Every structure is written in C-alpha cells, then in structure tokens.
C-alpha cells in the first residue's frame, strides 16, 4: 500500500460534536464523508490516548484506551468501522520511545529496587555522565538527557522532555509490552502504525544514540510481529 494518500488528523482540533471545546471521535465519524471527498484513502490519527497532555498527547499514560476528552473506546471503534465502510484505512500513532512519567510502568519502576524487572522497564544510571555524545533535542527547556528521580534515587534517561522517560529496549519485557499494545489495536481493526521518535529506541555509550543497528533490529521485530499475524 505504498501509494496511500494520507490525511493527518488531530482529533482534538478536528470537529467538536458536543460543544465542550475539544474535538472528539464522534466528531471525526460525523465528518468522514468530508475526509473521503478530499481524495484521501488513509487517516493518520495523532495521539488520542490518556495523557497529562504536557506534550500534545505524545506523553502517553495508557496505551490501550482513549483520553476522555475525545470520547470512549466504543466511540473509537465506531469511527474505525465507519471509516472502513467508506474504504478509508486508519493508522494510529505508536509512541514507544518513551511514556509519560505518569504511566503506571514508570511509577512502578521508580518504587521498585534497582535491578528489578520493574525498574528495568526504563533506562537508569547512578551517574549522569554516560552517553555524553548525545545531543539534547529540546535545548530551550532541557539541560541534560538525564533527570534525577528522588524516589528511585537514580537518574533516568529521556530524549525528549524530562516528564517523558525512555523505555528500555534492552529489556525483552518492554518489547513484549509493545507487542501487546500493537495487537490490542490491530485486533480492533487498525490498519497500521506510524512510529514516532523511532531513531532513539536503544542507547549505547560512545555513540550519538540515534539510528543504531540495535534500533533497526527492534523495528524489524515490530514488522515481523505484524507480518506473522496480520494482513
């Protein structure tokens, strides 16, 4: 499907069906004929998940639900079915480099002991002096890619804002959790994913920590997991 004509859609800013000031999935459903008439065949949805919304929803606190501002999972499914009925495919945003610091995984990691499976869901260090060759993306707000966590009593790694800790893709359990999320949406009928912030998945000291071979290996595993089970 390499010739898709894609319409990027921010649910929050698209169409407000209940006059609460925010776009919602019922609003998207109501305007699908308009989208179809634009000549597109695919909708790419920006993040719509539960989130503190400190980074426009790219700070996800629950990968398998819908932010209440935008409606319910049932509203999402109704929109998905209505899109498919019009020959439109739907791609969602898979943001897996980091989560919100409010995600239960991170809260669990902070309170778990160092070296535990829970702590190892994220990237921790006793020092902020490793990975020194890595650029800071948001130089206007961040002075380091490390942030001290007073609960964990360690530094955690973040390529974006300090409220977006990076997941640890050297931990196989993290990849399994991502597969679970992918299957959740694919089983519902989602047609594909756009991978956000994908160059930064894996860290290796002495590198720029971007586009590493280990990151490409993770992407290949994601692709293989889809190909094995879904058309």
């Amino acid at each position: 499907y390499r010739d898709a004509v894609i319409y990027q859609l921010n649910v929050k800013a698209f169409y407000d069906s209940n006059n609460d000031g925010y776009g919602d999935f019922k609003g998207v459903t109501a305007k699908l004929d308009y989208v179809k008439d634009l000549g597109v065949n695919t909708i790419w949805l920006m993040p719509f998940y539960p989130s503190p919304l400190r980074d426009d929803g790219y700070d996800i606190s629950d990968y398998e639900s819908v932010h209440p501002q935008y409606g319910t999972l049932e509203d999402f499914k109704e929109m998905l079915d209505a899109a498919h009925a019009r020959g439109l495919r739907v791609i969602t945003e898979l943001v897996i480099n980091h989560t919100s610091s409010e995600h239960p995984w991170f809260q669990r990691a902070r309170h778990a002991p160092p070296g535990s499976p829970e702590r190892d869901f994220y990237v921790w260090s006793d020092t902020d002096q490793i990975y020194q060759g890595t650029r800071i993306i948001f130089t206007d707000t961040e002075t380091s890619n490390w942030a001290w966590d007073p609960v964990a009593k360690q530094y955690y790694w973040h390529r974006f804002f300090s409220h977006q800790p990076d997941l640890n893709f050297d931990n196989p359990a993290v990849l399994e959790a991502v597969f679970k999320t992918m299957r959740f949406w694919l089983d519902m009928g989602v047609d594909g994913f756009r991978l956000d912030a994908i160059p930064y998945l894996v860290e290796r000291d002495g590198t720029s920590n971007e586009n590493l071979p280990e990151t490409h290996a993770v992407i290949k595993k994601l692709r293989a997991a889809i190909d094995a089970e879904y058309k």
Side-chain angles (χ1 to χ4, degrees), residues 11 17-18 23-27 29 45 48-50 64-80 184-185 188:
V11 176
S17 71
N18 59 359
D24 44 54
F25 276 114
K26 285 192 181 303
T29 303
L45 295 170
F48 53 79
Y49 313 97
E64 296 179 10
S65 192
V66 170
H67 195 292
Q69 260 181 18
Y70 312 140
T72 64
L73 269 175
E74 288 68 36
D75 294 339
F76 174 87
K77 185 74 171 83
E78 182 186 357
M79 180 279 308
L80 188 63
F184 177 86
W185 296 105
M188 197 179 290

Side-chain angles (χ1 to χ4, degrees), residues 8 11 18 23-24 27 30 81 101 117-118 122 127 136 172-173 190-191 217 225:
Q8 182 184 8
V11 176
N18 59 359
D24 44 54
D81 292 343
S101 56
E118 294 82 6
Y122 295 83
T127 168
I136 296 169
V190 161
D191 299 290

Side-chain angles (χ1 to χ4, degrees), residues 13-228:
F14 188 65
Y15 188 72
D16 176 8
S17 71
N18 59 359
N19 292 318
D20 66 352
Y22 299 100
D24 44 54
F25 276 114
K26 285 192 181 303
V28 176
T29 303
K31 294 294 182 182
L32 284 173
D33 288 334
Y34 160 80
V35 173
K36 172 99 175 155
D37 286 346
L38 294 174
V40 306
N41 54 28
T42 307
I43 298 170
W44 155 26
L45 295 170
M46 293 172 69
F48 53 79
Y49 313 97
S51 164
L53 299 179
R54 294 177 67 187
D55 185 24
D56 210 24
Y58 284 86
D59 49 329
I60 294 171
S61 55
D62 180 356
Y63 281 108
E64 296 179 10
S65 192
V66 170
H67 195 292
Q69 260 181 18
Y70 312 140
T72 64
L73 269 175
E74 288 68 36
D75 294 339
F76 174 87
K77 185 74 171 83
E78 182 186 357
M79 180 279 308
L80 188 63
D81 292 343
H84 287 159
R86 289 162 174 77
L88 294 166
R89 300 189 186 201
V90 177
I91 296 170
T92 59
E93 195 91 40
L94 194 64
V95 185
I96 56 172
N97 177 68
H98 50 263
T99 68
S100 165
S101 56
E102 294 184 23
H103 196 295
W105 294 346
F106 187 71
Q107 293 302 319
R108 194 177 64 188
R110 300 174 73 199
H111 291 92
S116 63
E118 294 82 6
R119 177 71 67 95
D120 285 346
F121 244 67
Y122 295 83
V123 180
W124 299 90
S125 173
D126 293 326
T127 168
D128 61 359
Q129 295 306 302
I130 57 172
Y131 307 154
Q132 284 291 298
T134 311
R135 71 189 172 101
I136 296 169
I137 293 172
F138 294 140
T139 51
D140 54 339
T141 55
E142 303 294 335
T143 56
S144 172
N145 288 312
W146 291 105
W148 175 255
D149 184 71
V151 176
K153 296 194 166 39
Q154 274 192 308
Y155 294 95
Y156 63 87
W157 182 249
H158 58 90
R159 281 313 301 272
F160 292 86
F161 294 113
S162 56
H163 58 79
Q164 291 167 311
D166 276 34
L167 287 164
N168 175 20
F169 279 89
D170 287 324
N171 179 354
V174 169
L175 198 57
E176 283 306 314
V178 170
F179 288 155
K180 177 178 174 290
T181 288
M182 288 167 54
R183 291 185 183 110
F184 177 86
W185 296 105
L186 290 165
D187 288 345
M188 197 179 290
V190 161
D191 299 290
F193 302 109
R194 183 259 172 175
L195 302 178
D196 177 69
I198 211 66
Y200 315 114
L201 296 185
V202 179
E203 299 78 31
R204 291 291 180 269
D205 208 13
T207 75
S208 68
N209 287 312
E210 298 185 14
N211 304 306
L212 299 186
E214 293 89 343
T215 289
H216 284 269
V218 172
I219 297 168
K220 286 175 180 171
K221 287 176 183 172
L222 298 176
R223 176 84 243 180
I226 294 178
D227 288 344

